[in-house]
């Protein structure tokens, strides 16, 4: 029970830090501001984390975990080429909670430019997501829905790069009114398809090879 309480308290501190980062930026994150948000003393934080850097890592892990949970829920509905767009949409900021998660990611990207430890956390997160999306593409190839000549890892990386650009643009309000960023993936999805949905003859030929 003590272990459960300890882990729960760490998660609460990580979430409080994440919300501070998303709302006010990395400079606003201090042990004092976290303690104030948690309604506890600064000394209490040292029982759960070794310092501010560890809290930053935990805050990013909290945000990433929640995004990955949404992806997992989208994947639980089944894997098909037609479900790729809903999968992408599930990962992007679309409500208050997901905007908080993406806000943490945006600030960590900036922070990672000058902090090797933060950059290592970011690389690990990107590799984990690339592996997840790559496995989805491979599964679709096995199901005969995606062209076998596609480099699953390369497509997964392109999707992640695009998702980050779209996510940050949505977070910062850079899209024009009425714009649906996910619709841009229709071109990519069409190029991945096997069968009659393929846009080019080369795609159909590859599927029939």
């Amino acid at each position: 029970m003590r272990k459960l309480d300890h882990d729960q308290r760490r998660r609460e501190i990580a979430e409080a830090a994440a919300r501070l980062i998303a709302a006010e930026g990395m400079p606003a994150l201090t042990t004092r501001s976290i303690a104030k948000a948690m309604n506890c003393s600064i000394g209490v934080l040292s029982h759960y984390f070794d310092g501010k850097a560890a809290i930053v890592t935990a805050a990013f892990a909290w945000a990433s975990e929640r995004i990955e949970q949404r992806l997992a829920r989208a994947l639980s509905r089944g894997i098909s080429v037609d479900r790729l767009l809903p999968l992408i949409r599930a990962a992007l900021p679309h409500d208050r909670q997901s905007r908080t998660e993406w806000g943490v990611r945006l600030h960590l990207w900036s922070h990672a430019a000058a902090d090797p430890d933060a950059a290592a956390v970011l690389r690990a997160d990107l590799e984990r997501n690339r592996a997840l999306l790559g496995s989805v593409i491979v599964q679709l190839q096995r199901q005969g829905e995606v062209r076998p000549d596609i480099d699953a890892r390369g497509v997964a990386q392109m999707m992640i790069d695009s998702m980050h650009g779209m996510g940050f643009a949505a977070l910062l309000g850079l899209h024009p009114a009425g714009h649906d960023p996910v619709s841009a993936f229709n071109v990519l999805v069409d190029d991945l398809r096997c069968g009659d949905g393929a846009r080019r003859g080369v795609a159909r030929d590859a599927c029939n090879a």
Side-chain angles (χ1 to χ4, degrees), residues 6-101:
H6 182 83
D7 290 344
Q8 177 62 30
R9 192 61 169 170
R10 282 176 59 88
R11 284 192 294 270
E12 290 171 354
I13 294 170
E15 180 177 356
R19 295 190 182 282
L20 280 169
I21 293 171
E24 302 180 38
M26 199 70 73
L29 187 70
T30 64
T31 51
R32 184 179 298 278
S33 65
I34 298 169
K36 181 178 180 180
M38 294 294 300
N39 194 28
C40 68
S41 68
I42 294 176
V44 169
L45 299 178
S46 65
H47 291 293
Y48 301 97
F49 292 97
D50 293 332
K52 178 181 172 180
I55 296 176
V56 170
T57 297
F60 183 74
W62 173 85
S64 293
E65 181 182 356
R66 293 188 63 88
I67 292 172
E68 289 167 10
Q69 287 172 351
R70 292 204 305 277
L71 287 172
R73 286 194 294 271
L75 286 172
S76 70
R77 301 183 181 97
I79 298 176
S80 71
V81 71
D82 289 326
R83 291 188 184 276
L84 278 178
L85 293 183
L87 178 66
I88 293 164
R89 194 181 300 278
L92 295 176
H94 58 273
D95 57 20
R96 183 176 180 179
Q97 183 63 47
S98 58
R99 288 180 66 83
T100 295
E101 298 154 9

Side-chain angles (χ1 to χ4, degrees), residues 35-191:
K36 181 178 180 180
M38 294 294 300
N39 194 28
C40 68
S41 68
I42 294 176
V44 169
L45 299 178
S46 65
H47 291 293
Y48 301 97
F49 292 97
D50 293 332
K52 178 181 172 180
I55 296 176
V56 170
T57 297
F60 183 74
W62 173 85
S64 293
E65 181 182 356
R66 293 188 63 88
I67 292 172
E68 289 167 10
Q69 287 172 351
R70 292 204 305 277
L71 287 172
R73 286 194 294 271
L75 286 172
S76 70
R77 301 183 181 97
I79 298 176
S80 71
V81 71
D82 289 326
R83 291 188 184 276
L84 278 178
L85 293 183
L87 178 66
I88 293 164
R89 194 181 300 278
L92 295 176
H94 58 273
D95 57 20
R96 183 176 180 179
Q97 183 63 47
S98 58
R99 288 180 66 83
T100 295
E101 298 154 9
W102 273 84
V104 177
R105 297 176 74 88
L106 178 62
H107 287 292
L108 186 72
W109 274 62
S110 177
H111 184 61
D115 187 319
D117 292 335
V121 171
L122 186 58
R123 281 194 297 271
D125 178 75
L126 291 173
E127 179 56 37
R128 189 169 58 251
N129 289 328
R130 179 168 53 200
L132 172 63
L133 289 176
S135 68
V136 170
I137 299 299
V138 169
Q139 179 61 37
L140 292 174
Q141 288 175 318
R142 291 172 178 166
Q143 293 173 191
E145 295 187 61
V146 164
R147 296 160 45 193
D149 62 320
I150 288 292
D151 174 15
R153 183 179 175 85
V155 169
Q157 184 63 63
M158 180 169 57
M159 290 175 67
I160 289 172
D161 290 344
S162 298
M163 287 166 65
H164 277 106
M166 292 176 179
F168 293 149
L171 186 68
L172 297 173
L174 302 181
H175 292 138
H179 174 69
D180 178 13
V182 180
S183 63
F185 275 95
N186 279 316
V187 175
L188 171 60
V189 171
D190 282 344
D191 280 346

